[in-house]
Amino acid sequence: MLLLTAGHFFSDFYTNFLPALLPAVIASQGLSLTLSGLLVMVFAVTSSMLQPVCGYFMDKGSYAWLLLVTLPVSAVFICSSGLASNTLYLFGTVAVSGIAASLFHPLASSLVGRTVVSGRQGLAMSLFVGGGNLGFAFAPFVIIYVLVHWGIGYLPWLIIPALLLTVALYSSGLYKTDLRVARQRLTEDPPWYKSKNILMLNVVMALRSWPQVAIPTFLPVLLAGQGHPPLLAGHMLTVFLLGGAAGALVGGYSGDKAGHKKCILLSLIFCLPPTYYLLSASTINWLTWLSLALSGALLQSMVPSSIVWAQTILPGNAAMVSGMMLGLTFGLGGAGTAITGAVADYIGLPQALLWTVVPLILAIPLTFGIPDEAPARQSPQTFSVK
């Protein structure tokens, strides 16, 4: 479990390289803003939107051996993207790194369910998701430190942690896990597109992702427009992301104790006041900082419960539904963020951001409409190797 959590830490660590690298890449490649936006879109599609597709094929066979490939590939290609000699190579390295991330997430999250006893899946998923959040939060600081003190040519040194962790994963034998054993003992699941509950849960989590993606995306722009220094934006983003990591650690455990549906419902309801205050406050004070941390924590606290709940609904498609909760809904939240940006051109950024509270409100009755998770037809299989 700790190895999988460490793997998620470094996978998300490498996934969040691009925003910090982008200014240096624009300068070295002479990229236009249009190409820069396209580069970000390519990475978003390959690293997030492809996750359920990768998970679908993993559920059809035993691909646990990919655990030894995904982290090194992700690290090598994203760390070499800053050294790209031309635009085509740059796009290629970013795309391959993103695909590796899309392979890792559904695979590792399905393995989480095989490494813990029944009734502790939420806590395990909290650790797993929280580890990824921490890696995501620390990446910009590490990248900027390397760029400022040593330069872009030293980025390949950051490949070393991925290689060391891969050695540890190999030694553990996790890559030998036969995921097909657990699936063969389960009654055949209906196709995901015929599962109303899975589709509704995807909508709920996509609506939740909308403000979660929009706030860190546009908060620096909003603060700059109000005359605040860039350092303040960096500190506020850190509080938001670390709050999310803390929320993820608590959310799955709470789901184990109170039920995953109830955890998501309460998080949605309690998230409304701090998020509204954060986006409507005219000054920055201690309440703003508290609201920032609470909003990040409550928004992210729903993710572990959503994964466990989705795996309960379709236990024979654990990798695919994990990819939906971790990747697809996040990508859909990015699409919502694009809508927020377009609306901001007409009504202003403060008002447009305030409207991102509405998706959270819409998600509440939709969550009520999803039946409580039924007991699994069979307890998830604990870790075993061939």
Side-chain angles (χ1 to χ4, degrees):
M1 185 59 240
L2 291 176
L3 283 173
L4 291 172
T5 300
H8 197 197
F9 176 95
F10 282 107
S11 180
D12 280 15
F13 177 74
Y14 295 117
T15 299
N16 204 26
F17 267 38
L18 190 57
L21 269 179
L22 199 55
V25 169
I26 290 174
S28 63
Q29 293 287 331
L31 292 182
S32 64
L33 291 177
T34 300
L35 280 177
S36 301
L38 184 61
L39 183 68
V40 173
M41 185 190 75
V42 166
F43 190 68
V45 170
T46 56
S47 65
S48 296
M49 303 292 281
L50 285 183
Q51 285 190 34
V53 177
C54 294
Y56 174 82
F57 288 105
M58 287 178 184
D59 285 325
K60 300 298 181 182
S62 188
Y63 294 101
W65 59 269
L66 284 171
L67 202 62
L68 304 180
V69 178
T70 53
L71 281 176
V73 169
S74 182
V76 167
F77 279 88
I78 198 63
C79 288
S80 63
S81 64
L83 307 177
S85 57
N86 57 67
T87 303
L88 182 61
Y89 179 70
L90 172 64
F91 273 77
T93 55
V94 165
V96 173
S97 180
I99 292 171
S102 275
L103 288 168
F104 173 85
H105 283 80
L107 171 59
S109 56
S110 65
L111 283 170
V112 168
R114 309 290 190 258
T115 61
V116 294
V117 297
S118 179
R120 303 296 296 275
Q121 290 91 350
L123 175 60
M125 202 61 72
S126 285
L127 293 172
F128 178 75
V129 174
N133 293 155
L134 286 174
F136 197 85
F138 283 124
F141 291 97
V142 175
I143 292 298
I144 291 172
Y145 185 88
V146 171
L147 292 177
V148 169
H149 291 276
W150 294 311
I152 201 168
Y154 280 78
L155 283 179
W157 285 99
L158 296 177
I159 299 171
I160 294 175
L163 299 179
L164 294 176
L165 184 57
T166 300
V167 172
L169 288 168
Y170 176 81
S171 300
S172 74
L174 268 171
Y175 69 96
K176 298 179 182 179
T177 305
D178 190 350
L179 299 178
R180 293 172 298 184
V181 174
R183 186 170 62 255
Q184 288 169 352
R185 295 177 182 174
L186 292 166
T187 305
E188 187 69 24
D189 289 328
W192 64 269
Y193 53 85
K194 291 185 178 180
S195 174
K196 179 183 176 182
N197 297 336
I198 279 292
L199 296 177
M200 288 180 66
L201 188 56
N202 269 280
V203 173
V204 167
M205 295 306 292
L207 291 171
R208 173 215 65 95
S209 295
W210 190 333
Q212 191 192 25
V213 177
I215 290 173
T217 298
F218 290 118
L219 186 60
V221 180
L222 179 65
L223 293 172
Q226 295 173 346
H228 295 290
L231 191 60
L232 176 65
H235 289 160
M236 295 187 77
L237 286 179
T238 301
V239 170
F240 185 80
L241 293 173
L242 291 179
L249 291 173
V250 174
Y253 176 78
S254 301
D256 282 341
K257 297 299 182 182
H260 299 293
K261 176 179 179 176
K262 185 180 291 186
C263 177
I264 292 176
L265 270 175
L266 292 177
S267 295
L268 284 169
I269 293 169
F270 288 123
C271 184
L272 291 174
T275 304
Y276 179 83
Y277 181 85
L278 169 67
L279 299 176
S280 62
S282 56
T283 59
I284 298 176
N285 51 41
W286 69 271
L287 274 176
T288 310
W289 289 95
L290 179 61
S291 298
L292 187 70
L294 287 175
S295 179
L298 289 165
L299 284 170
Q300 191 65 15
S301 68
M302 304 176 226
V303 176
S305 283
S306 74
I307 298 171
V308 177
W309 193 3
Q311 291 179 348
T312 302
I313 296 171
L314 291 180
N317 294 271
M320 185 188 69
V321 296
S322 298
M324 287 178 173
M325 298 300 109
L326 282 170
L328 178 63
T329 59
F330 187 81
L332 293 174
T337 298
I339 296 174
T340 297
V343 171
D345 286 333
Y346 291 94
I347 67 173
L349 186 55
Q351 290 75 21
L353 277 175
L354 191 57
W355 275 97
T356 60
V357 175
V358 174
L360 295 176
I361 298 173
L362 295 176
I364 294 173
L366 289 175
T367 306
F368 268 114
I370 306 174
D372 290 338
E373 60 266 37
R377 285 165 285 184
Q378 178 164 327
S379 298
Q381 301 299 304
T382 53
F383 168 67
S384 61
V385 298
K386 295 178 181 178

